[in-house]
Amino acid sequence: MKYQVKNLKSYFNIQDKAINNPEKFWKKIAKEFSWQTKWNQVLDYDMHKAEIKWFDGGELNMSENCIDRHLKLRGDKTAIIFEPNDPKEKEQHISYKQLHEEVSKMANILKGQGVEKGDRVCVYLPMIPELAYTVLACARIGAIHSVVFAGFSANALSSRINDSSCKLVVTADGSYRGDKQIDLKSIVDKALTNCNTVKSVVLVKRTGQKLDFQHGRDLWYHDLKKEVDDHCDPVIVKSEDPLFILYTSGSTGKPKGMVHTTAGYMVYSAYTFKNVFQYEEEDVYWCTADIGWITGHSYIIYGPLLNGATTVMFEGVPSYPNYNRFWEIVEKYGVNQFYTAPTAIRSLAKQDVKFVEQHDLSSLKVLGTVGEPINEEAWNWYYNHVGKEKCPIVDTWWQTETGGIMISPIPFSTPTKATYATFPLPGVQPALMDADGKELEGRLVKGSLCIKFPWPGIARTIWGNHQRYINTYFKQYPGMYFTGDGALRDPAGYYRITGRVDDVIIVSGHNLGTAPIENAINEHSKVAECAIVGYPHEVKGNALYGFITLKKDCSESEQDQLKKEINVLIADSIGPIARLSRIQFSDGLPKTRSGKIMRRILRKIAAGELNDLGDISTLLNPDCVEEIIKNRQ
Ligand code: PRX
């Protein structure tokens, strides 16, 4: 691929080119793909109106670029290795040729159900090959996929289906996660009682469990598959036609359906994959994320397949049947690049190191992390025990909204430094801003992280609400994209991400907005008000702490019952990932004189930083702070 970084000097050289002439830079990379019609203009943008177009006037098909383009040279090469939850179940090696057939069949199934270009398809599937087939099948016919992580609750699913008026849902009877079996179909049934745009449900048989089959709406995938052709011509779409919607939590209100469009996302996910992982033709690459998140979209499916790579898709969890599972898989397939989350590293580092040492990990060349800041201890453990001090760690900073990796070391070029994401990738122009909205120049500065120039992977809008897109990302620092993260630049120019500066809390790598959790708690008839904050957690990075006031006093045993009920409400409304680790009932919550809850103080209390509460004398009710400290959980 054009502009592949090979050493630090070439990085600086390429970055200069990308900044001095972005259009020429991205155009050269874009030329390597297959286009039906070439673009008229590489970039057209207005960062104030948040209107960004890349390769406008171009026409192409994403699935053709991911699959058909490789058939001649790599038809028999494995595209996807599927490793099932149960290690006793046989794995699957799906070649590019087979992927082409499977995706074509799925595309014909969707077409048969009336799905057309521009229609939204909700995908609520476990990590099985059909998930990849469905996503690519949508791309093949120009439909817009909206993958919802299969750990979300029925309520969360229905609100996402309704927000983008999905026509069809693809799901499975059930899913396996470690020793648990989850009844996906009944979650979908419950969700669909509130969704009237969905006309049909395509059901993949995975667990074989009993279910309530609704004739006229539900259809078995294996039945439909027998009827359809294994050829489906790709539908040509425009560069700026949406490829997918992916929901992400906001600090307030309902989740935001981030819209990614076709050509820019393609170029960006492909280029960043190649550079950040330095993928070579024979390599086996494995990203442990779920395709329900952006990491899975960009770096299990699109980035790797656009590069003709072999990508591993793992259905299970790192602890099942025991904690050597990841390392067993690395050894089994000779994985060369391994990409995971700090929370997984922390939980594995807590186990006996023999789990790692039992396995031959000599195939590993590059290790990656994503999703949250990685602490030094976890970084060192990963570097020493997994990488045997030989594999560079790419600490990749990016977001659902950015489409692809933005700040990351380039292995074998950028010297790594624990906890630093290091340099921006070519074409990325970060800026650190102070509280007055001024850009902080030079080194040794700390501020809010913005990006001051468009890159091809940037989300184009929030589905159905462009104004919210502008307000959330382009208003605070006019003319720039605001990430919601804080960062510092060290004397070498390296960036270190310091964490969110808004009310989003990252728990085990999952973004959670506090407002939707608080809304769920407030639904309880006994709750008067509440505030959720994050506090540092050894494995999860952050955990959730709920401060709750009740309408009337409760006995201790009633309180225990209430805590359970509150977590059930949260799990129903959002999903089990949003459950509170600690709940404290108190008579009042600290408030400003205008009645706003002072979360800053609650955050300090939750973190145990009791000597650092700042001035509390101006509070409306300073007395409650003492009581809260006394009863801290
Ligand atoms: O706070 C940053 C954190 O994760 C947020 C984005 O979350 P999401 O949209 O779910 O995407 C996660 C996968 C790309 C960011 O705003 N984050 C992500 N990567 C890092 C990180 N924080 C520190 N270091 C990272 N490498």
Side-chain angles (χ1 to χ4, degrees), residues 304-322:
L305 297 180
L306 285 163
N307 280 281
T310 299
T311 170
V312 177
M313 203 177 154
F314 175 44
E315 185 185 25
V317 292
S319 55
Y320 179 79
N322 58 52

Side-chain angles (χ1 to χ4, degrees), residues 248 294-295 369-374 395-401 421 483 485 497 499-500 506 509 511:
T248 185
I294 191 71
T295 307
T369 79
V370 59
E372 55 185 314
I374 178 162
D395 176 353
T396 63
W397 173 82
W398 59 296
Q399 312 178 293
T400 306
E401 295 86 337
T483 65
D485 283 321
I497 312 302
R500 300 292 307 182
I506 305 187
N511 277 12

Side-chain angles (χ1 to χ4, degrees), residues 272-273 276-277 284-290 294-296 298-300 304 312 326-327 330 335-342 344-345 364 366-372 382 386 393-399 404-408:
T272 51
F273 173 78
V276 171
F277 298 103
V284 174
Y285 159 90
W286 180 22
C287 165
T288 71
D290 192 290
I294 191 71
T295 307
S298 303
Y299 299 110
I300 296 179
V312 177
F326 270 9
W327 321 125
V330 169
V335 169
N336 303 106
Q337 293 89 2
F338 177 72
Y339 191 29
T340 194
I345 298 168
L364 287 172
V366 177
L367 301 175
T369 79
V370 59
E372 55 185 314
Y382 199 29
V386 181
I393 295 180
V394 289
D395 176 353
T396 63
W397 173 82
W398 59 296
Q399 312 178 293
I405 298 168
M406 300 289 282
I407 304 183
S408 167

Side-chain angles (χ1 to χ4, degrees), residues 70-79 94-98:
H70 306 303
L71 288 179
K72 218 161 127 201
L73 279 180
R74 306 186 177 101
D76 294 320
K77 177 176 174 175
T78 300
I94 302 146
S95 69
Y96 274 89
K97 236 191 247 157
Q98 288 166 322

